[in-house]
Amino acid sequence: MNEQNIENRFEFLKGDKVLWMVILMISIFSIFPVYSASSNLEYIVNNGTTTGHVMKHMFFVVLGLAIMRLVGTVKYEYMGKLSSIMLGLMIVLLIVTMFTGQTIDGASASRWLKIPGTPISFQPSSFAFLMLIIYLCRYLTKKITRERLPIENVMYIFGPILLVFVLVAKDNGSTALMILMVSVIVLVIGQLHWKYIAGFISASFIAIALFLLIALNTNMIGGNRVHTWMSRIETFTSSKAKSADVDDESIKAKNYQVMQAKAAIVHGGITGMGPGKSALKQMLPQSASDFIFAVIVEEYGLIGAGFLICMYLIMIVRIVMIASKMPAFFGSLLVLSLGVMIFIQLAVNIAVAVNLIPVTGQPLPLISYGGTSMLVTYIQLGIILNISSRIQIYDEEGMGKKQSIVEINDIA
């Protein structure tokens, strides 16, 4: 009886227990660097108080964990069936954002949509990205038993991807490129014929080239950030090349964010300066969000940063293991696709901090200060945990919680 009570108590953590523990550890840890780095918002940006920001972050952590657990109670097959409707709704919100979008916390892009009658704002692009990937996974599963006509691929696969890309690209180029990248990976994993994937990649390059050409040479796409992207790429390549004909001072001025991030990483050394003792967080723009990894390295050193990266690696490994054990194709494809989304976002954030790629606005999953991206990550992990709870579990004593093949089989 006692053993049954213990099992029921742990059943609250529905799904993969190791993944649950990693998520909880990262979520709790996130409070400390956000509390430290948010002092930049109070004293430099003059926005709110450090206590207010950390309380807001803790609220989103608790809300995210609650949403993650709630997602675990809904059959993931239903999410697939509703994805086309939800994707259509997100596309409408993206169009509305193009005309009525707002900026927050000093950002230069109008990516946020305010809920009427409330002070709450969110980024539709993050939710549109998630809904698009779920939709693609479901469609690829639904049509896997037969050869699709070319017109079907254009209308139901390539069309939605390019539509979301175009709507997001105007104000959020890095997210738009990630949408294309992850979508192509999903198509590969989803076993779409290589000739269609090659054609889509070619069409995407043409679409991007046309978008850049129109944005740089005309006023047809008002308020775009193409010049900002080009400036960042030019600054990145110039700083790497260190050519003699380039003004070093101008490079330093344009590359200020990355220079401060690199200085913070070097300052942290092996063991770090200690929690809350970052000396460069006040000079590092977006220290609580886009560049929070640099603050973590400065305060906790390479040891602390290495431990955090190990936690992320355990998360990715568990996601791959869940996907490999899931017999239903839709479940396996969806887990891998969501894992790819999380991994690319993680890799991009760290790569920017260590100056491997040009500056982008991608947050560190479960760590960076902010609402929309954090909640979307918790939803992704909630879906993965949901699917993991549907796997036949084997242990040393034999079969664990048994499910029939009908319960496990995908109904997409």
Side-chain angles (χ1 to χ4, degrees):
M1 188 66 178
N2 291 334
E3 292 181 1
Q4 184 66 36
N5 291 336
I6 293 174
E7 182 179 347
N8 292 336
R9 194 178 301 125
F10 276 98
E11 189 60 21
F12 178 78
L13 303 181
K14 189 177 181 180
D16 188 275
K17 303 300 185 293
V18 175
L19 184 55
W20 258 106
M21 292 299 106
V22 171
I23 295 169
L24 289 174
M25 289 177 65
I26 296 177
S27 299
I28 294 172
F29 170 76
S30 71
I31 297 172
F32 301 99
V34 167
Y35 179 69
S36 174
S38 61
S39 62
N40 177 285
L41 295 174
E42 178 179 1
Y43 298 110
I44 305 301
V45 184
N46 196 26
N47 178 14
T49 65
T50 301
T51 302
H53 289 304
V54 76
M55 292 300 293
K56 180 180 177 182
H57 178 76
M58 291 173 65
F59 168 77
F60 277 113
V61 168
V62 174
L63 178 62
L65 291 171
I67 291 176
M68 185 174 71
R69 181 62 183 85
L70 181 63
V71 169
T73 63
V74 181
K75 285 189 175 182
Y76 71 92
E77 296 93 342
Y78 297 157
M79 302 177 197
K81 291 181 177 182
L82 291 173
S83 61
S84 57
I85 299 175
M86 295 303 297
L87 177 60
L89 176 61
M90 291 302 111
I91 289 174
V92 172
L93 292 179
L94 286 175
I95 295 174
V96 173
T97 305
M98 288 183 67
F99 298 99
T100 64
Q102 298 180 341
T103 61
I104 62 173
D105 294 337
S108 58
S110 302
R111 304 170 184 169
W112 288 266
L113 190 63
K114 186 176 181 180
I115 300 177
T118 70
I120 302 174
S121 299
F122 68 99
Q123 290 191 64
S125 58
S126 297
F127 289 103
F129 190 4
L130 174 60
M131 289 302 115
L132 175 65
I133 297 306
I134 298 176
Y135 165 81
L136 289 176
C137 291
R138 194 229 173 186
Y139 184 81
L140 291 170
T141 302
K142 187 178 178 181
K143 301 295 183 179
I144 198 171
T145 56
R146 68 176 179 84
E147 179 69 19
R148 303 176 193 85
L149 298 174
I151 189 64
E152 289 183 291
N153 291 328
V154 172
M155 291 181 59
Y156 301 114
I157 298 180
F158 306 147
I161 296 173
L162 292 176
L163 179 58
V164 173
F165 167 79
V166 170
L167 293 175
V168 172
K170 174 178 172 291
D171 291 306
N172 201 339
S174 59
T175 298
L177 289 177
M178 286 175 59
I179 288 172
L180 282 181
M181 186 185 307
V182 175
S183 296
V184 170
I185 295 174
V186 172
L187 297 181
V188 172
I189 302 174
Q191 301 178 16
L192 185 66
H193 197 283
W194 66 267
K195 64 181 180 182
Y196 294 120
I197 297 176
F200 174 68
I201 294 175
S202 301
S204 298
F205 275 116
I206 295 173
I208 293 172
L210 287 175
F211 178 84
L212 294 176
L213 186 65
I214 294 172
L216 289 172
N217 297 284
T218 72
N219 294 322
M220 294 176 60
I221 307 177
N224 67 80
R225 289 169 49 82
V226 173
H227 291 284
T228 302
W229 309 336
M230 300 302 291
S231 176
R232 288 177 175 179
I233 295 174
E234 181 183 355
T235 301
F236 174 77
T237 54
S238 298
S239 64
K240 290 292 185 182
K242 295 181 180 179
S243 57
D245 59 336
V246 176
D247 184 0
D248 290 339
E249 292 301 321
S250 65
I251 294 177
K252 290 179 181 179
K254 293 180 179 179
N255 218 27
Y256 177 79
Q257 291 174 304
V258 172
M259 290 182 63
Q260 295 301 322
K262 291 169 67 176
I265 292 172
V266 172
H267 191 223
I270 303 297
T271 58
M273 307 305 297
K277 297 181 179 180
S278 169
L280 295 169
K281 62 189 177 185
Q282 307 298 356
M283 295 177 284
L284 181 60
Q286 304 296 330
S287 60
S289 53
D290 300 348
F291 285 92
I292 197 168
F293 183 75
V295 175
I296 292 173
V297 178
E298 185 182 9
E299 294 188 349
Y300 300 90
L302 292 178
I303 294 177
F307 178 78
L308 178 61
I309 291 175
C310 285
M311 290 294 100
Y312 280 123
L313 290 177
I314 293 173
M315 177 188 294
I316 299 301
V317 169
R318 296 303 297 186
I319 290 173
V320 173
M321 290 176 63
I322 292 167
S324 65
K325 293 179 180 179
M326 186 65 193
F329 182 78
F330 176 52
S332 179
L333 177 61
L334 184 55
V335 168
L336 279 178
S337 300
L338 297 177
V340 168
M341 290 178 66
I342 295 172
F343 174 77
I344 290 181
Q345 185 179 7
L346 166 69
V348 168
N349 180 277
I350 295 177
V352 168
V354 298
N355 199 26
L356 290 178
I357 61 174
V359 174
T360 66
Q362 295 302 317
L364 190 62
L366 301 180
I367 297 285
S368 291
Y369 176 70
T372 304
S373 178
M374 176 175 286
L375 293 182
V376 168
T377 302
Y378 279 116
I379 293 173
Q380 293 171 330
L381 292 169
I383 296 173
I384 293 171
L385 288 168
N386 183 331
I387 296 173
S388 72
S389 68
R390 301 278 297 280
I391 299 173
Q392 288 181 331
I393 303 172
Y394 294 87
D395 53 30
E396 295 179 357
E397 299 178 358
M399 180 74 78
K401 185 177 180 181
K402 189 173 182 179
Q403 294 176 305
S404 67
I405 200 67
V406 175
E407 292 175 317
I408 293 178
N409 238 355
D410 178 63
I411 59 172

Short mmCIF file of all heavy atoms in Angstrom, two decimals, residues 209-256:
data_model
loop_
_atom_site.label_atom_id
_atom_site.label_comp_id
_atom_site.label_asym_id
_atom_site.label_seq_id
_atom_site.Cartn_x
_atom_site.Cartn_y
_atom_site.Cartn_z
N ALA A 209 16.26 35.99 -51.29
CA ALA A 209 16.96 36.95 -52.14
C ALA A 209 16.02 38.05 -52.61
O ALA A 209 16.38 39.24 -52.61
CB ALA A 209 17.58 36.23 -53.34
N LEU A 210 14.81 37.69 -53.00
CA LEU A 210 13.83 38.68 -53.44
C LEU A 210 13.43 39.60 -52.29
O LEU A 210 13.29 40.82 -52.47
CB LEU A 210 12.59 37.98 -54.00
CG LEU A 210 12.74 37.34 -55.38
CD1 LEU A 210 11.48 36.56 -55.75
CD2 LEU A 210 13.06 38.38 -56.44
N PHE A 211 13.26 39.00 -51.10
CA PHE A 211 12.89 39.80 -49.93
C PHE A 211 13.97 40.84 -49.62
O PHE A 211 13.68 42.01 -49.39
CB PHE A 211 12.68 38.88 -48.73
CG PHE A 211 12.35 39.60 -47.45
CD1 PHE A 211 11.05 39.99 -47.16
CD2 PHE A 211 13.34 39.90 -46.53
CE1 PHE A 211 10.74 40.65 -45.99
CE2 PHE A 211 13.05 40.57 -45.35
CZ PHE A 211 11.74 40.94 -45.08
N LEU A 212 15.24 40.41 -49.63
CA LEU A 212 16.34 41.32 -49.35
C LEU A 212 16.47 42.39 -50.44
O LEU A 212 16.71 43.57 -50.14
CB LEU A 212 17.65 40.54 -49.24
CG LEU A 212 17.77 39.57 -48.06
CD1 LEU A 212 19.08 38.79 -48.14
CD2 LEU A 212 17.69 40.32 -46.74
N LEU A 213 16.29 41.98 -51.68
CA LEU A 213 16.41 42.91 -52.79
C LEU A 213 15.34 44.00 -52.70
O LEU A 213 15.64 45.20 -52.85
CB LEU A 213 16.28 42.15 -54.12
CG LEU A 213 16.52 42.97 -55.40
CD1 LEU A 213 17.97 43.45 -55.45
CD2 LEU A 213 16.20 42.12 -56.63
N ILE A 214 14.11 43.59 -52.42
CA ILE A 214 13.01 44.56 -52.32
C ILE A 214 13.19 45.46 -51.10
O ILE A 214 13.01 46.68 -51.17
CB ILE A 214 11.66 43.82 -52.25
CG1 ILE A 214 11.39 43.09 -53.57
CG2 ILE A 214 10.53 44.79 -51.96
CD1 ILE A 214 10.18 42.18 -53.54
N ALA A 215 13.59 44.86 -49.97
CA ALA A 215 13.72 45.63 -48.73
C ALA A 215 14.86 46.64 -48.80
O ALA A 215 14.76 47.74 -48.25
CB ALA A 215 13.94 44.68 -47.55
N LEU A 216 15.95 46.28 -49.48
CA LEU A 216 17.12 47.16 -49.54
C LEU A 216 16.99 48.26 -50.59
O LEU A 216 17.61 49.31 -50.45
CB LEU A 216 18.38 46.33 -49.82
CG LEU A 216 18.88 45.42 -48.69
CD1 LEU A 216 20.01 44.53 -49.18
CD2 LEU A 216 19.34 46.25 -47.50
N ASN A 217 16.19 48.02 -51.62
CA ASN A 217 16.16 48.96 -52.74
C ASN A 217 14.82 49.67 -52.94
O ASN A 217 14.72 50.55 -53.80
CB ASN A 217 16.53 48.23 -54.03
CG ASN A 217 17.94 47.68 -54.00
OD1 ASN A 217 18.90 48.42 -54.15
ND2 ASN A 217 18.07 46.38 -53.79
N THR A 218 13.81 49.30 -52.17
CA THR A 218 12.51 49.96 -52.31
C THR A 218 11.93 50.24 -50.92
O THR A 218 12.50 49.83 -49.90
CB THR A 218 11.53 49.08 -53.10
OG1 THR A 218 11.13 47.95 -52.29
CG2 THR A 218 12.14 48.60 -54.40
N ASN A 219 10.81 50.90 -50.91
CA ASN A 219 10.08 51.17 -49.67
C ASN A 219 8.80 50.35 -49.57
O ASN A 219 7.88 50.68 -48.81
CB ASN A 219 9.72 52.66 -49.58
CG ASN A 219 10.96 53.53 -49.46
OD1 ASN A 219 11.92 53.17 -48.79
ND2 ASN A 219 10.94 54.68 -50.12
N MET A 220 8.75 49.26 -50.35
CA MET A 220 7.54 48.43 -50.36
C MET A 220 7.33 47.71 -49.05
O MET A 220 6.19 47.44 -48.65
CB MET A 220 7.63 47.42 -51.51
CG MET A 220 7.60 48.05 -52.90
SD MET A 220 7.81 46.82 -54.21
CE MET A 220 6.39 45.76 -53.92
N ILE A 221 8.42 47.37 -48.36
CA ILE A 221 8.32 46.68 -47.06
C ILE A 221 8.73 47.67 -45.99
O ILE A 221 9.90 47.75 -45.59
CB ILE A 221 9.21 45.42 -47.02
CG1 ILE A 221 8.92 44.52 -48.22
CG2 ILE A 221 8.97 44.65 -45.72
CD1 ILE A 221 9.81 43.30 -48.30
N GLY A 222 7.79 48.45 -45.53
CA GLY A 222 8.09 49.51 -44.57
C GLY A 222 8.46 48.98 -43.21
O GLY A 222 7.93 47.96 -42.74
N GLY A 223 9.37 49.68 -42.54
CA GLY A 223 9.74 49.33 -41.16
C GLY A 223 10.53 48.05 -41.03
O GLY A 223 10.62 47.48 -39.94
N ASN A 224 11.10 47.53 -42.12
CA ASN A 224 11.87 46.28 -42.02
C ASN A 224 13.23 46.55 -41.36
O ASN A 224 13.70 47.68 -41.29
CB ASN A 224 12.06 45.66 -43.40
CG ASN A 224 12.94 46.50 -44.31
OD1 ASN A 224 14.16 46.45 -44.20
ND2 ASN A 224 12.32 47.30 -45.19
N ARG A 225 13.86 45.45 -40.90
CA ARG A 225 15.13 45.54 -40.19
C ARG A 225 16.28 44.98 -41.02
O ARG A 225 17.30 44.57 -40.47
CB ARG A 225 15.01 44.78 -38.86
CG ARG A 225 14.12 45.48 -37.85
CD ARG A 225 13.81 44.58 -36.66
NE ARG A 225 14.98 43.96 -36.09
CZ ARG A 225 15.81 44.54 -35.23
NH1 ARG A 225 15.58 45.80 -34.87
NH2 ARG A 225 16.84 43.89 -34.74
N VAL A 226 16.12 44.95 -42.33
CA VAL A 226 17.14 44.36 -43.18
C VAL A 226 18.47 45.10 -43.05
O VAL A 226 19.54 44.48 -43.01
CB VAL A 226 16.67 44.34 -44.65
CG1 VAL A 226 17.80 43.88 -45.56
CG2 VAL A 226 15.46 43.43 -44.79
N HIS A 227 18.42 46.44 -42.97
CA HIS A 227 19.66 47.20 -42.84
C HIS A 227 20.37 46.86 -41.53
O HIS A 227 21.61 46.82 -41.46
CB HIS A 227 19.36 48.70 -42.92
CG HIS A 227 18.92 49.15 -44.28
ND1 HIS A 227 19.80 49.32 -45.33
CD2 HIS A 227 17.68 49.43 -44.76
CE1 HIS A 227 19.13 49.71 -46.41
NE2 HIS A 227 17.84 49.80 -46.09
N THR A 228 19.61 46.61 -40.48
CA THR A 228 20.19 46.20 -39.19
C THR A 228 20.87 44.85 -39.32
O THR A 228 21.99 44.64 -38.83
CB THR A 228 19.11 46.13 -38.10
OG1 THR A 228 18.48 47.41 -37.98
CG2 THR A 228 19.71 45.73 -36.77
N TRP A 229 20.22 43.91 -40.03
CA TRP A 229 20.83 42.58 -40.21
C TRP A 229 22.13 42.68 -41.01
O TRP A 229 23.14 42.07 -40.63
CB TRP A 229 19.87 41.64 -40.96
CG TRP A 229 18.50 41.56 -40.43
CD1 TRP A 229 18.09 41.83 -39.14
CD2 TRP A 229 17.32 41.20 -41.15
NE1 TRP A 229 16.73 41.65 -39.04
CE2 TRP A 229 16.23 41.26 -40.24
CE3 TRP A 229 17.07 40.82 -42.46
CZ2 TRP A 229 14.92 40.97 -40.62
CZ3 TRP A 229 15.78 40.51 -42.85
CH2 TRP A 229 14.73 40.59 -41.93
N MET A 230 22.09 43.45 -42.08
CA MET A 230 23.27 43.58 -42.92
C MET A 230 24.42 44.23 -42.16
O MET A 230 25.59 43.85 -42.31
CB MET A 230 22.94 44.41 -44.17
CG MET A 230 21.84 43.81 -45.06
SD MET A 230 22.21 42.14 -45.64
CE MET A 230 23.55 42.47 -46.77
N SER A 231 24.08 45.21 -41.31
CA SER A 231 25.10 45.87 -40.50
C SER A 231 25.73 44.88 -39.52
O SER A 231 26.95 44.89 -39.32
CB SER A 231 24.48 47.05 -39.75
OG SER A 231 25.43 47.65 -38.90
N ARG A 232 24.91 44.03 -38.91
CA ARG A 232 25.44 43.04 -37.97
C ARG A 232 26.34 42.03 -38.66
O ARG A 232 27.39 41.65 -38.13
CB ARG A 232 24.27 42.33 -37.27
CG ARG A 232 23.54 43.19 -36.26
CD ARG A 232 22.36 42.44 -35.65
NE ARG A 232 21.72 43.22 -34.61
CZ ARG A 232 20.64 42.81 -33.93
NH1 ARG A 232 20.10 41.63 -34.22
NH2 ARG A 232 20.12 43.57 -32.99
N ILE A 233 25.93 41.58 -39.83
CA ILE A 233 26.74 40.62 -40.58
C ILE A 233 28.06 41.27 -41.01
O ILE A 233 29.13 40.66 -40.90
CB ILE A 233 25.96 40.10 -41.80
CG1 ILE A 233 24.75 39.29 -41.35
CG2 ILE A 233 26.87 39.25 -42.69
CD1 ILE A 233 23.84 38.86 -42.48
N GLU A 234 27.98 42.51 -41.48
CA GLU A 234 29.19 43.22 -41.90
C GLU A 234 30.14 43.43 -40.72
O GLU A 234 31.36 43.24 -40.85
CB GLU A 234 28.80 44.57 -42.51
CG GLU A 234 30.00 45.38 -43.00
CD GLU A 234 29.59 46.74 -43.53
OE1 GLU A 234 28.37 47.01 -43.60
OE2 GLU A 234 30.49 47.53 -43.87
N THR A 235 29.58 43.80 -39.58
CA THR A 235 30.40 44.00 -38.38
C THR A 235 31.06 42.70 -37.95
O THR A 235 32.24 42.66 -37.59
CB THR A 235 29.54 44.55 -37.23
OG1 THR A 235 28.96 45.79 -37.63
CG2 THR A 235 30.39 44.76 -35.98
N PHE A 236 30.30 41.61 -38.00
CA PHE A 236 30.83 40.30 -37.60
C PHE A 236 31.97 39.87 -38.52
O PHE A 236 33.03 39.46 -38.05
CB PHE A 236 29.70 39.26 -37.63
CG PHE A 236 30.15 37.86 -37.37
CD1 PHE A 236 30.43 37.43 -36.08
CD2 PHE A 236 30.30 36.95 -38.42
CE1 PHE A 236 30.85 36.14 -35.83
CE2 PHE A 236 30.72 35.65 -38.18
CZ PHE A 236 30.99 35.25 -36.88
N THR A 237 31.75 39.96 -39.84
CA THR A 237 32.79 39.53 -40.77
C THR A 237 34.01 40.44 -40.71
O THR A 237 35.15 39.99 -40.84
CB THR A 237 32.23 39.51 -42.21
OG1 THR A 237 31.66 40.80 -42.52
CG2 THR A 237 31.16 38.45 -42.35
N SER A 238 33.79 41.74 -40.49
CA SER A 238 34.91 42.68 -40.41
C SER A 238 35.76 42.42 -39.17
O SER A 238 36.99 42.46 -39.22
CB SER A 238 34.39 44.12 -40.39
OG SER A 238 33.71 44.44 -41.57
N SER A 239 35.09 42.13 -38.05
CA SER A 239 35.83 41.86 -36.82
C SER A 239 36.61 40.57 -36.91
O SER A 239 37.68 40.42 -36.30
CB SER A 239 34.86 41.81 -35.63
OG SER A 239 33.95 40.73 -35.77
N LYS A 240 36.09 39.61 -37.69
CA LYS A 240 36.80 38.35 -37.87
C LYS A 240 37.98 38.51 -38.82
O LYS A 240 39.06 37.95 -38.62
CB LYS A 240 35.84 37.28 -38.41
CG LYS A 240 34.80 36.81 -37.41
CD LYS A 240 35.41 36.04 -36.28
CE LYS A 240 34.36 35.47 -35.36
NZ LYS A 240 34.96 34.74 -34.21
N ALA A 241 37.75 39.31 -39.88
CA ALA A 241 38.80 39.47 -40.90
C ALA A 241 39.95 40.33 -40.40
O ALA A 241 41.11 40.09 -40.72
CB ALA A 241 38.19 40.08 -42.16
N LYS A 242 39.62 41.39 -39.63
CA LYS A 242 40.63 42.32 -39.11
C LYS A 242 41.50 42.87 -40.25
O LYS A 242 42.73 42.91 -40.16
CB LYS A 242 41.53 41.63 -38.07
CG LYS A 242 40.79 41.22 -36.81
CD LYS A 242 41.72 40.58 -35.80
CE LYS A 242 40.99 40.17 -34.54
NZ LYS A 242 41.87 39.52 -33.55
N SER A 243 40.85 43.25 -41.33
CA SER A 243 41.59 43.77 -42.49
C SER A 243 42.19 45.12 -42.17
O SER A 243 41.69 45.87 -41.34
CB SER A 243 40.66 43.87 -43.70
OG SER A 243 39.55 44.69 -43.39
N ALA A 244 43.27 45.48 -42.86
CA ALA A 244 44.02 46.69 -42.55
C ALA A 244 43.25 47.95 -42.92
O ALA A 244 43.48 49.02 -42.35
CB ALA A 244 45.36 46.68 -43.30
N ASP A 245 42.32 47.85 -43.89
CA ASP A 245 41.62 49.04 -44.34
C ASP A 245 40.34 49.32 -43.57
O ASP A 245 39.55 50.17 -43.96
CB ASP A 245 41.29 48.91 -45.84
CG ASP A 245 40.44 47.69 -46.12
OD1 ASP A 245 40.48 46.74 -45.32
OD2 ASP A 245 39.73 47.68 -47.16
N VAL A 246 40.12 48.57 -42.50
CA VAL A 246 38.91 48.75 -41.70
C VAL A 246 39.26 49.53 -40.44
O VAL A 246 40.26 49.25 -39.77
CB VAL A 246 38.28 47.39 -41.34
CG1 VAL A 246 37.09 47.60 -40.42
CG2 VAL A 246 37.85 46.65 -42.59
N ASP A 247 38.45 50.52 -40.12
CA ASP A 247 38.67 51.33 -38.93
C ASP A 247 38.34 50.51 -37.69
O ASP A 247 37.19 50.16 -37.43
CB ASP A 247 37.77 52.57 -38.99
CG ASP A 247 38.02 53.51 -37.82
OD1 ASP A 247 38.89 53.18 -36.97
OD2 ASP A 247 37.35 54.55 -37.75
N ASP A 248 39.36 50.20 -36.89
CA ASP A 248 39.15 49.36 -35.71
C ASP A 248 38.18 49.99 -34.72
O ASP A 248 37.40 49.29 -34.08
CB ASP A 248 40.49 49.08 -35.02
CG ASP A 248 41.37 48.15 -35.84
OD1 ASP A 248 40.83 47.43 -36.69
OD2 ASP A 248 42.58 48.18 -35.60
N GLU A 249 38.24 51.31 -34.58
CA GLU A 249 37.35 51.97 -33.63
C GLU A 249 35.89 51.85 -34.05
O GLU A 249 35.01 51.69 -33.21
CB GLU A 249 37.74 53.45 -33.50
CG GLU A 249 39.09 53.68 -32.83
CD GLU A 249 39.14 53.09 -31.43
OE1 GLU A 249 38.13 53.18 -30.70
OE2 GLU A 249 40.19 52.52 -31.07
N SER A 250 35.63 51.95 -35.34
CA SER A 250 34.25 51.81 -35.82
C SER A 250 33.75 50.39 -35.59
O SER A 250 32.59 50.17 -35.26
CB SER A 250 34.16 52.16 -37.30
OG SER A 250 34.89 51.24 -38.08
N ILE A 251 34.63 49.42 -35.76
CA ILE A 251 34.24 48.03 -35.52
C ILE A 251 33.90 47.84 -34.05
O ILE A 251 32.91 47.20 -33.69
CB ILE A 251 35.37 47.06 -35.94
CG1 ILE A 251 35.57 47.12 -37.45
CG2 ILE A 251 35.05 45.65 -35.50
CD1 ILE A 251 36.70 46.26 -37.94
N LYS A 252 34.73 48.40 -33.18
CA LYS A 252 34.49 48.27 -31.75
C LYS A 252 33.16 48.90 -31.35
O LYS A 252 32.43 48.37 -30.50
CB LYS A 252 35.65 48.91 -30.97
CG LYS A 252 36.96 48.15 -31.06
CD LYS A 252 38.06 48.87 -30.28
CE LYS A 252 39.38 48.11 -30.39
NZ LYS A 252 40.46 48.80 -29.66
N ALA A 253 32.86 50.04 -31.94
CA ALA A 253 31.60 50.71 -31.61
C ALA A 253 30.40 49.87 -32.03
O ALA A 253 29.43 49.73 -31.29
CB ALA A 253 31.56 52.08 -32.27
N LYS A 254 30.46 49.31 -33.23
CA LYS A 254 29.35 48.51 -33.73
C LYS A 254 29.28 47.15 -33.04
O LYS A 254 28.20 46.56 -32.91
CB LYS A 254 29.49 48.31 -35.24
CG LYS A 254 29.33 49.59 -36.06
CD LYS A 254 29.47 49.29 -37.54
CE LYS A 254 29.29 50.55 -38.37
NZ LYS A 254 29.45 50.28 -39.82
N ASN A 255 30.41 46.63 -32.62
CA ASN A 255 30.47 45.30 -32.03
C ASN A 255 30.50 45.36 -30.50
O ASN A 255 31.03 44.46 -29.85
CB ASN A 255 31.73 44.56 -32.53
CG ASN A 255 31.46 43.10 -32.78
OD1 ASN A 255 30.35 42.71 -33.06
ND2 ASN A 255 32.49 42.29 -32.66
N TYR A 256 29.93 46.42 -29.95
CA TYR A 256 30.00 46.67 -28.51
C TYR A 256 29.41 45.51 -27.70
O TYR A 256 29.99 45.08 -26.69
CB TYR A 256 29.26 47.97 -28.17
CG TYR A 256 29.22 48.29 -26.70
CD1 TYR A 256 30.32 48.83 -26.05
CD2 TYR A 256 28.07 48.04 -25.95
CE1 TYR A 256 30.28 49.12 -24.70
CE2 TYR A 256 28.02 48.32 -24.60
CZ TYR A 256 29.12 48.88 -23.98
OH TYR A 256 29.08 49.15 -22.64
#
